[in-house]
Structures are given as C-alpha cells and as structure tokens.
Amino acid sequence: MIRLSNVSKTYGSGPSAVSALKNVDLHVPHGSIHGVIGLSGAGKSTLIRCVNMLERPSAGRVEVDGQDLTALPNDRLNQARHRIGMIFQHFNLLASRTVYRNVALPLELMHMKSAAIRERVEPLLELVGLTDKADQYPAQLSGGQKQRVAIARALASRPKVLLCDEATSALDPQTTRSILELLQDINRKLGLTILLITHEMEVVKSICHRVGLISDGELVEEADVGDFFTAPATRLGREFLNAFLQLEPPKGLIDRLEETPGPRTHPVVRLAFRGDAVSTPLISRLARESGVDVSILQAKVESIQDRTLGLMIAELIGTADKTDEALAYLERHDLHVEVLGHVQRDA
Ligand SMILES: Nc1ncnc2c1ncn2[C@@H]1O[C@H](COP(=O)(O)OP(=O)(O)O)[C@@H](O)[C@H]1O
Ligand SMILES: [Mg+2]
C-alpha cells in the first residue's frame, strides 16, 4: 500500500545542508499498522511527510496505493492526497470552526454539497464518539477529544492510508490508550493502512504489527513487533528496549562486567522467553541438568499484544564447561540468549 524506494531528503544545500533521510526503503502492506520509532531528530517527521509529499524527496520514489506520487504534477498530487489522511501531535484544528465544520473542511474544499457532507460527517463523529460535541469549538475540548476530531477529519475524504505523526505524544497515558484503541478499531473496521511514527515504545507495543527503527536518517532495522521486543538487531534497538523494560543489570554489576571471559569469571545473560518457553520451568531444569547455579537478578513478564514474553537477567555460576553447556541448553530450548558480559567469581 505504501512503498518507499531509496528515498533521500536533504534540507538546504552547501555546507549547511542537512541529510535528513538516507536511502530509505519501506514497504507497508495493505491493512497493516506499521510503526517507525526513533529518537528526536532522527528523521521521523521527514519520513512521514515524504509519504504524502508535504516534503518532496530529494531522490527516490514514493508509491501509495499503486500510484507513484513522485511522478505526479501538483494538480494530480492534490487528488492523490485525498487517499492519504494525516494526524499530528498538536491536532492542527481550526479554532474558529466547530467540531462538525472542522471535520467537514476537507469535503468543502472538494466542493461537496452540504447534504452529502452531512452524510459523511455524522457517521464519522459517531465513529470517534463525538456526536454530542458537534457544535462545540476546539477550545472547549480535551486533548483526546481534539485528536478524535482530527482523526474524523483525516477520514473524511475516505483515505486508504492514515499517517500519524506522534499522534499521542501530547496526551496523558490513559488518553493515549484510548486514541490507540480508536486507531486499532479503525484499522480493523475500515481496513485502513496506518503508518505511525513515534518515539514511544508503548505505542509500538500496543498496536503496531511491524516496526522500523530510524537513526540519523537511516532505517537501521525492521521487524515484527514480537521479534523486536524479544531481540532487537541493533544496539540502538536494544537501548530502546532496555529503557522501556527497565531491565538492566544492577549498576554495581554493570561496572564489573568484562567483555571477554577469564579463568575465574562467569557469564551474565539476558534471556528472552517466548511461546511455550514462558510456561516451562526451564531454569530449574537447567540448574538440575547442567549443574550450574542460576542467580536471577531481574525478571519480568510482558504482554506484547496477544503474546507473552518473559525476560530475565541472570548470572550462570559454575565452571566454564558447565556454563557453556548451560548456554547451549538454553539456546536449544528456543530462548533468546544474550551474554551481557562476564564477572569475576568471588574468591
Ligand atoms: N524544514 C527543515 N529545514 C532544515 N532542516 C530540517 C527541516 N525539517 C527537519 N530538519 C532537520 O532534519 C532532521 C530530521 O528532522 P525530523 O524529520 O523533524 O526528525 P524527527 O521527527 O525524528 O524529530 C533534523 O536534523 C532536523 O533539524
Ligand atoms: Mg518529528
């Protein structure tokens, strides 16, 4: 539904040029919810604005619903944009218009008749739960209600794609959840393809099917959300995950971690369990069968949509032979094992 091929974007020129996107390839299939996460300044807004040509890419191709937008002249581009809705962090409503007239605006611009506009706007207000607020002004609404108006407005032209630029970043956690549920509902009911960018792992965890990680203008990894939360492929991905899970070895231990094993060290590991492994008593079996002692430093269980993920940081205490055997045992049982380092055994 959305396909970016080798898209680059440079702002300005000469020595002050900023290379905001570098050779980005991205495919979002029809009906999916795709997240792109990254730190501030990574190029997220530039990426999403290139999808509807609010920013023209400096190079590369942008296709939406089979149409190459980069090849379209401006008048045809305006037509094509009706197929792409967008919502923003700060809602961007018109203060002088009521809720009803904010939602009607794109249809007025398309010169639709007022009866036809009413036929579109009323069900949309119902969909977002704001039928009783139709005659109120944005200033009378909460942040969550304003975003609901923006969503209804974005859907007015019956788009195939909805772009969300940090749509929940200005909202409190509870309101965030309700807006994410609404987006999920719209995705399911209308089959709408959603591309959202965010700096919040919670957003990705709650509703995305796949996620891309953007760093300094480059898409550095892409994965199904379950895989990303189990074992991110990049260091930045692991930093995002660890900050989100708050699952780090104790500070005192981090300072003692050495990269390479020595004659009197033992490994500290991060284990991620999925599926059946979550409910199997692997750790006690491991201790029994391989003869190592397992000292659990931290553990938690997370629900990632309909899946359960167990995470643990543990020290494996035993001779090198036995700890090697223990690591092999864990890997055989489908655990994701990451050796964080090695610590000296107490004398
Ligand atoms: N209109 C612009 N002119 C010049 N530089 C810009 C412009 N918009 C964004 N940038 C720069 O491009 C980079 C990516 O910005 P942006 O896409 O807004 O990142 P994000 O949304 O991830 O915070 C940043 O270095 C930013 O300063
Ligand atoms: Mg941004």
Side-chain angles (χ1 to χ4, degrees):
M1 179 55 71
I2 303 173
R3 193 180 287 278
L4 269 54
S5 313
N6 219 2
V7 167
S8 297
K9 173 72 187 182
T10 305
Y11 292 110
S13 59
S16 62
V18 177
S19 174
L21 286 182
K22 298 162 191 164
N23 306 312
V24 169
D25 288 312
L26 176 75
H27 177 228
V28 182
H30 173 80
S32 75
I33 306 182
H34 194 103
V36 173
I37 192 164
L39 298 170
S40 169
K44 301 183 297 297
S45 294
T46 304
L47 173 71
I48 210 160
R49 291 165 66 84
C50 280
V51 175
N52 60 2
M53 299 276 141
L54 283 178
E55 296 290 352
R56 231 174 221 287
S58 314
R61 209 172 135 99
V62 176
E63 287 164 83
V64 176
D65 198 15
Q67 199 168 31
D68 179 359
L69 302 187
T70 29
L72 291 183
N74 282 335
D75 54 330
R76 303 256 320 272
L77 188 58
N78 275 334
Q79 281 290 318
R81 282 206 185 108
H82 295 156
R83 316 264 85 190
I84 308 172
M86 186 162 181
I87 58 173
F88 306 86
Q89 180 174 358
H90 297 294
F91 325 122
N92 300 13
L93 301 179
L94 292 181
S96 61
R97 282 182 165 240
T98 62
V99 166
Y100 181 94
R101 295 198 59 228
N102 264 285
V103 179
L105 179 64
L107 304 175
E108 287 173 19
L109 295 174
M110 289 159 75
H111 308 293
M112 250 167 107
K113 297 238 164 60
S114 65
I117 289 179
R118 182 160 295 276
E119 258 173 51
R120 285 259 187 119
V121 174
E122 283 177 350
L124 283 170
L125 290 177
E126 198 176 320
L127 178 73
V128 301
L130 289 181
T131 303
D132 58 334
K133 305 279 184 218
D135 297 325
Q136 300 210 343
Y137 288 87
Q140 298 170 279
L141 304 177
S142 69
Q145 289 168 336
K146 285 181 197 168
Q147 195 59 295
R148 284 169 187 272
V149 178
I151 290 170
R153 180 183 58 184
L155 297 179
S157 60
R158 296 198 174 140
K160 297 262 179 86
V161 164
L162 181 64
L163 307 176
C164 310
D165 185 346
E166 300 275 5
T168 56
S169 298
L171 304 175
D172 62 72
Q174 198 179 339
T175 310
T176 291
R177 257 193 308 281
S178 80
I179 293 295
L180 293 177
E181 275 164 23
L182 176 62
L183 292 175
Q184 199 165 39
D185 194 41
I186 290 166
N187 166 258
R188 287 180 184 152
K189 273 194 193 144
L190 310 179
L192 194 74
T193 306
I194 298 180
L195 174 62
L196 63 84
I197 60 169
T198 182
H199 65 279
E200 294 171 311
M201 290 286 275
E202 186 63 38
V203 172
V204 174
K205 180 191 134 174
S206 309
I207 64 164
C208 293
H209 305 131
R210 275 181 79 77
V211 60
L213 177 65
I214 189 170
S215 170
D216 199 16
E218 286 181 68
L219 214 49
V220 292
E221 75 172 284
E222 224 197 322
D224 282 340
V225 167
D227 294 333
F228 184 69
F229 278 80
T230 314
T234 60
R235 187 198 174 94
L236 179 65
R238 285 193 290 275
E239 283 171 9
F240 263 100
L241 184 63
N242 288 337
F244 171 70
L245 296 171
Q246 300 186 317
L247 193 77
E248 289 275 15
K251 175 83 176 75
L253 185 70
I254 295 182
D255 293 341
R256 287 166 47 220
L257 279 181
E258 294 163 21
E259 220 164 283
T260 47
R264 290 193 53 77
T265 62
H266 58 250
V268 175
V269 294
R270 178 180 171 280
L271 306 174
F273 312 62
R274 288 168 60 170
D276 290 346
V278 177
S279 52
T280 316
L282 279 173
I283 296 302
S284 57
R285 265 184 220 163
L286 171 77
R288 203 161 53 233
E289 289 179 25
S290 68
V292 300
D293 287 321
V294 182
S295 166
I296 296 171
L297 303 172
Q298 280 203 35
K300 62 163 61 173
V301 174
E302 278 281 329
S303 297
I304 311 292
Q305 297 166 23
D306 53 357
R307 291 193 264 185
T308 308
L309 178 64
L311 294 140
M312 184 183 291
I313 292 182
E315 293 180 48
L316 303 181
I317 303 166
T319 61
D321 281 357
K322 289 198 165 158
T323 58
D324 281 353
E325 209 176 288
L327 290 173
Y329 175 91
L330 292 170
E331 273 165 3
R332 272 201 309 281
H333 286 81
D334 259 1
L335 266 74
H336 185 268
V337 183
E338 184 191 346
V339 178
L340 300 175
H342 304 266
V343 283
Q344 281 295 329
R345 267 180 276 159
D346 296 329

